[in-house]
Amino acid sequence: MVSRVIPVDPFDLTIFGGTGDLARRKILPGLYRRFAAGQIPDGCRIVGAARSDLSQDAYRDEVSDALAEFVGKDKLSPDTLKAFLGLIRYVSIDATGDKGWSELKGHVRDDRISAFYFSVAPSLFGAIAERLHGHGIADDTTRIVVEKPFGRDLESARALNRTLAEHFDETQIYRIDHYLGKETVQNLMALRFGNVLFEPLWNSQFVDHIQITVAETVGVAGRGEYYDRSGAMRDMVQNHLMQLLCLIAMEPPSQFEPDAVRDEKLKVIRALEPVKPDEIVRGQYEGRSGGQSGAKSRVAPYHADVDDPDSRTESFIAMKVHVSNWRWAGTPFYLRTGKRLKARQSEIAVVFKDAPHSIFGAEAGRHRNILTIRLQPNEGMTLGVTIKEPGPGGMRLIDVPLDMTFADALGAENDQVTDAYERLVMDVIRGNQTLFMRGDEVEAAWAWTDPIIDGWVSADKRPYPYEPGSAGPEESQMLLHRENRRWREIRE
Ligand code: NAD
């Protein structure tokens, strides 16, 4: 199946932080793929703006290297690469000074969409916004894209929102949460609101509980300083897991339209109950010495990765969350995320209740329908259904998956859809804010998160240690076991 590509209108996109890690790994490769797919018309400009002094050619070489590394040398066609590099410009700029701004103005044309990606530290947002206006580069049609972290608590998020609001209207601000750009996440909405099958069951009458897991194998080495000030709650739950929860829990919006969708998500966040301390498990990974003959590689413990033997920041968190409204009262949402876990796996599992009465007797065992929505690896969905075990020998029941792996179902040329950034950047150019967080959503998420964090800070408790390569601390298993439930396995 070949996907339909509709070219966007001509644009000039400036990437502040154009030499940074995010630009190299995600933004530029995403733009290249969209260009190769025919979605970016000739004559657009992609302007890198960063601190380094680089010539135009030196920056193009950097872009070319980044594409070779993150798109893959074998996937670059020489002609397409040459044409793409033709769109690239570079400006050496000082976000907090005067250097480079007049030059940038010369690159950004009036007769097309202009967007500015703030791929820099949030402390620079205000200075950049102010200069874009001060130098007459931005106007009320300009779009800006901002990255996480959007604040570290309610107060700082409000301050950032106020700073941006001084210069831009909310309709011009695109707050990225790349989880929302994932194909599966959007498919979740298609599944819920495009089919008649699931929505009648999508409530506490039929759903026993929901699990959201985002497991990573990497540790925090290399970004320890940032991570240690943040922790799993701020880095993952307040934004990514919260967004997933919203999409699962929200009421059907009247239209698939930005404010209709975001209004419904906001209602979910506002319906979240405070989480009780005994329904939260925080963990911190230990180290591993390497074992005999290097069978298992050595892993540094968390406190070494962040260079603080006394750190109490969590690299893992599991929690039970209640959405208090008519639809969900009594159906818990269990969230868990962590570093250095057994496998890289993100999934949402909707665990339906048992059939009200088993006509097959106790020996048939307990069977439950579970709808699993996989974000990675192998984006797709699986519905576990109970059937009769084939063959003679009586009525024995087994669970089999009805599987839909997108790469299989849609064909190999759709493998590029797995990258969320390229979809989101194109949405910015199309002026579609549906998959971006609105300011009040972000603030509501912090308003829920802050007291939870304050709770453990004032209790001054250490996170539970857990082995690298495990599913997190034992206590996280207990969170479900004590309610006769169990986490789904994190599979290698
Ligand atoms: P980075 O440190 O690799 O790059 C920073 C960029 O900002 C560089 O291009 C640098 O030249 C530029 N810069 C710094 N100070 C400047 C100044 N005064 N004037 C002009 N340019 C200046 O950072 P990164 O990892 O690319 O992250 C950028 C932003 O994106 C951060 O806010 C980060 O939190 C966020 N983010 C990054 C990732 C990631 O995977 N790297 C993921 C999510 C969010």
Side-chain angles (χ1 to χ4, degrees):
M1 194 189 302
V2 178
S3 50
R4 211 155 41 100
V5 173
I6 302 167
V8 293
D9 292 334
F11 65 86
D12 290 339
L13 170 69
T14 302
I15 309 170
F16 291 105
T19 58
D21 178 65
L22 185 67
R24 286 171 45 78
R25 277 192 315 117
K26 293 290 179 189
I27 308 170
L28 290 161
L31 286 164
Y32 174 83
R33 288 197 207 97
R34 290 294 93 208
F35 180 74
Q39 202 164 14
I40 298 183
D42 286 330
C44 290
R45 275 184 195 161
I46 297 165
V47 185
R51 232 177 352 194
S52 321
D53 275 320
L54 292 172
S55 68
Q56 301 295 325
D57 282 345
Y59 184 63
R60 290 196 180 105
D61 287 347
E62 283 207 2
V63 173
S64 183
D65 290 347
L67 298 180
E69 188 173 349
F70 297 108
V71 176
K73 261 193 184 133
D74 50 330
K75 293 205 175 115
L76 297 178
S77 121
D79 289 346
T80 311
L81 177 62
K82 189 163 172 243
F84 181 73
L85 293 177
L87 312 184
I88 302 280
R89 307 281 185 282
Y90 182 73
V91 180
S92 167
I93 208 160
D94 180 2
T96 54
D98 296 328
K99 184 181 162 195
W101 292 95
S102 315
E103 196 187 334
L104 178 61
K105 187 172 166 59
H107 286 302
V108 178
R109 294 160 291 180
D110 294 336
D111 61 343
R112 56 198 55 225
I113 296 162
S114 79
F116 297 87
Y117 201 127
F118 290 19
S119 182
V120 292
S123 56
L124 296 177
F125 289 179
I128 293 177
E130 197 178 307
R131 281 164 180 73
L132 281 175
H133 275 281
H135 289 81
I137 305 170
D139 60 24
D140 57 8
T141 65
T142 301
R143 294 158 202 178
I144 62 164
V145 187
V146 295
E147 267 293 341
K148 83 167 197 183
F150 201 85
R152 56 170 282 109
D153 52 21
L154 178 59
E155 196 187 327
S156 53
R158 275 194 182 138
L160 264 183
N161 274 337
R162 271 197 305 271
T163 304
L164 295 180
E166 276 173 34
H167 305 282
F168 297 99
D169 186 72
E170 183 63 34
T171 54
Q172 298 177 270
I173 304 171
Y174 292 72
R175 293 177 195 77
I176 284 224
D177 184 320
H178 70 274
Y179 271 61
L180 291 181
K182 287 181 183 283
E183 189 71 11
T184 323
V185 170
Q186 291 167 72
N187 247 312
L188 176 59
M189 285 189 272
L191 179 90
R192 284 193 61 192
F193 306 130
N195 295 285
V196 73
L197 219 53
F198 294 103
E199 204 46 32
L201 307 178
W202 211 261
N203 56 53
S204 59
Q205 195 187 340
F206 294 102
V207 178
D208 179 74
H209 72 279
I210 289 168
Q211 301 186 12
I212 303 178
T213 298
V214 177
E216 297 178 280
T217 51
V218 292
V220 302
R223 56 194 283 261
E225 200 190 321
Y226 159 75
Y227 192 89
D228 202 41
R229 278 184 282 117
S230 162
M233 184 72 176
R234 288 190 171 99
D235 191 48
M236 297 297 292
V237 177
Q238 184 274 344
N239 40 48
H240 306 317
L241 276 79
M242 175 81 75
Q243 289 295 322
L244 299 181
L245 187 153
C246 284
L247 297 179
I248 288 275
M250 74 183 186
E251 295 300 315
S254 57
Q255 284 172 341
F256 190 59
E257 184 266 286
D259 280 332
V261 171
R262 299 187 299 179
D263 286 346
E264 294 306 334
K265 282 163 51 195
L266 181 62
K267 285 185 207 160
V268 174
I269 303 175
R270 291 194 172 146
L272 294 176
E273 284 180 20
V275 182
K276 300 191 195 100
D278 66 344
E279 295 186 335
I280 303 173
V281 176
R282 298 166 67 235
Q284 201 181 72
Y285 59 82
E286 300 177 298
R288 190 169 55 212
S289 61
Q292 289 168 340
S293 64
K296 280 195 167 176
S297 53
R298 206 186 82 78
V299 171
Y302 177 86
H303 60 78
D305 281 346
V306 301
D307 199 18
D308 177 2
D310 213 31
S311 169
R312 293 179 178 206
T313 305
E314 75 286 355
S315 60
F316 173 96
I317 189 163
M319 61 206 298
K320 181 180 174 189
V321 174
H322 299 274
V323 181
S324 80
N325 60 19
W326 272 55
R327 187 188 282 262
W328 294 116
T331 294
F333 287 67
Y334 297 97
L335 315 184
R336 115 185 117 155
T337 181
K339 305 278 180 198
R340 284 258 184 263
L341 297 179
K342 197 169 174 186
R344 181 164 176 259
Q345 179 183 312
S346 302
E347 66 162 45
I348 301 166
V350 180
V351 181
F352 290 93
K353 288 190 173 167
D354 293 352
H357 164 69
S358 169
I359 63 167
F360 304 108
E363 58 283 11
R366 188 179 187 189
H367 296 273
R368 282 188 153 180
N369 299 121
I370 301 179
L371 174 70
T372 317
I373 299 142
R374 288 187 308 276
L375 277 67
Q376 65 194 19
N378 310 327
E379 282 198 61
M381 298 186 193
T382 305
L383 178 64
V385 291
T386 303
I387 61 163
K388 176 189 168 298
E389 190 175 349
M395 196 66 180
R396 289 190 307 270
L397 301 185
I398 51 167
D399 293 327
V400 293
L402 285 181
D403 189 14
M404 190 178 129
T405 302
F406 295 155
D408 298 345
L410 304 176
E413 74 276 6
N414 275 279
D415 63 352
Q416 84 278 11
V417 296
T418 53
D419 197 285
Y421 275 91
E422 59 193 86
R423 168 188 310 278
L424 293 174
V425 174
M426 289 298 100
D427 276 359
V428 174
I429 304 301
R430 280 189 287 258
N432 185 344
Q433 288 184 303
T434 310
L435 301 175
F436 297 83
M437 294 178 296
R438 210 168 52 191
D440 53 0
E441 258 185 272
V442 179
E443 289 185 14
W446 281 120
W448 175 77
T449 312
D450 277 1
I452 299 173
I453 296 178
D454 291 347
W456 71 59
V457 170
S458 59
D460 199 24
K461 269 175 65 178
R462 282 186 179 280
Y464 296 106
Y466 63 93
E467 266 182 55
S470 68
E474 217 21 62
E475 288 74 8
S476 132
Q477 305 297 330
M478 290 310 299
L479 188 67
L480 273 73
H481 284 185
R482 66 189 185 205
E483 293 169 348
N484 206 14
R485 298 180 172 119
R486 58 176 55 243
W487 284 113
R488 288 171 53 76
E489 204 184 328
I490 299 176
R491 285 173 207 274
E492 270 175 286

